[in-house]
Amino acid sequence: MTQFSNVCADVGIVDSVELYTRAGSLPASHLYAGDEIISRDAGFARVQRISTSQGRRRLVRVERGAFGNGVPHSDTLLAEDQLVHVPGPLTKSGHLANSLQCRAVDLVDAGLATHEEICDVRLVHIYCGGPKILYCNGLEIIGGDAIIPERRRQFSR
């Protein structure tokens, strides 16, 4: 299981990003307290509360298939500071090897994403009792009371 520090980095998820929930794939802007989001590390995580913020930010676009195997399933916009979980290959025992966390902007440096123009954007802050690895368009992002993981390091291709 991923170990997290207690350093806060509540970035928020771009409102149009679709997250996988018990009810199917829904934009972050359509989530409410009580909804259940599918998480890698906790199964279904119940949303305890949601808040939003709006402002001018630079976004990062991860193009469809940038990670191979059709991941993400469609072009995906992320805030530059959004934490992304990059799983490593499976070992013989079925565990992930060499997984890491990085900021979305680090994916630009690695050639897996591009910068978008600075624009007005609405971010959704999802609170579900601690950090969770959430699925959005096949990508694994860290949300749900997002905090900086101790194992965060720069991503290189």
Side-chain angles (χ1 to χ4, degrees):
M1 180 175 283
T2 304
Q3 299 296 313
F4 296 92
S5 72
N6 59 5
V7 179
C8 182
D10 181 19
V11 174
I13 298 169
V14 175
D15 65 346
S16 62
V17 166
E18 293 201 355
L19 297 172
Y20 298 166
T21 72
R22 187 179 290 274
S25 185
L26 293 173
S29 61
H30 291 143
L31 294 174
Y32 295 95
D35 286 344
E36 292 180 305
I37 303 172
I38 298 173
S39 73
R40 169 184 249 279
D41 44 353
F44 287 103
R46 186 173 302 279
V47 175
Q48 295 174 356
R49 69 183 177 93
I50 289 188
S51 65
T52 60
S53 62
Q54 189 155 345
R56 295 187 58 77
R57 296 186 74 119
R58 173 165 283 169
L59 300 178
V60 168
R61 177 181 299 276
V62 183
E63 291 188 11
R64 179 178 187 264
F67 282 81
N69 296 325
V71 175
H73 307 308
S74 61
D75 286 6
T76 302
L77 291 174
L78 301 173
E80 281 188 317
D81 291 334
Q82 173 66 57
L83 296 174
V84 179
H85 180 258
V86 182
L90 285 176
T91 64
K92 289 182 183 178
S93 63
H95 294 94
L96 286 174
N98 301 321
S99 63
L100 59 94
Q101 288 81 37
C102 65
R103 297 176 311 144
V105 71
D106 297 329
L107 299 175
V108 173
D109 297 338
L112 294 170
T114 57
H115 280 290
E116 292 288 301
E117 295 294 320
I118 295 174
C119 62
D120 284 321
V121 64
R122 186 171 151 219
L123 299 176
V124 178
H125 307 272
I126 301 169
Y127 305 95
C128 44
K132 304 287 185 275
I133 298 173
L134 307 175
Y135 294 101
C136 79
N137 296 333
L139 283 177
E140 296 180 355
I141 63 170
I142 299 177
D145 308 0
I147 55 180
I148 297 172
E150 291 173 1
R151 293 178 13 185
R152 188 179 138 212
R153 56 185 176 194
Q154 187 164 353
F155 181 77
S156 59
R157 193 169 200 186

